[in-house]
């Protein structure tokens, strides 16, 4: 997962405004008591951050995988 795919996944799952709030403000224990934004800025793989965010927010497993990918072009 790339950073752009992470951002797309967050927006798709949480919406633009709330997505920005939780990535900036929600401290996640499994990320070393950092926010998603801090973890990514400090080099954590976006995929790991996405999965930790999903776990913290209770996103169902069915919505955790394959998100963030751009729509295929024809």
């Amino acid at each position: 997962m790339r950073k752009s795919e992470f951002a797309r996944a967050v927006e798709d799952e949480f919406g633009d405004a709330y997505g920005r709030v939780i990535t900036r403000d929600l401290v996640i224990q499994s990320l070393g008591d950092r926010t998603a934004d801090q973890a990514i800025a400090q080099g954590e793989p976006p995929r790991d951050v996405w999965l930790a965010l999903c776990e913290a927010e209770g996103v169902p497993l069915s919505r955790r995988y394959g998100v963030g990918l751009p729509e295929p072009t024809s």
Side-chain angles (χ1 to χ4, degrees):
M1 175 178 264
R2 297 177 178 167
K3 288 181 187 179
S4 61
E5 293 168 340
F6 172 83
R8 189 177 303 115
V10 168
E11 185 175 343
D12 287 350
E13 182 62 36
F14 302 108
D16 183 44
Y18 185 61
R20 284 192 313 250
V21 168
I22 62 169
T23 59
R24 181 189 67 219
D25 295 339
L26 179 66
V27 175
I28 302 172
Q29 185 177 10
S30 64
L31 293 176
D33 294 323
R34 298 178 289 178
T35 67
D37 287 347
Q38 290 169 331
I40 287 176
Q42 293 172 359
E44 290 292 330
R47 183 74 169 161
D48 294 346
V49 176
W50 168 248
L51 293 175
L53 181 61
C54 288
E55 184 67 28
E57 286 293 293
V59 175
L61 289 174
S62 63
R63 295 200 315 251
R64 294 182 190 187
Y65 299 96
V67 297
L69 297 174
E71 291 294 321
T73 56
S74 43

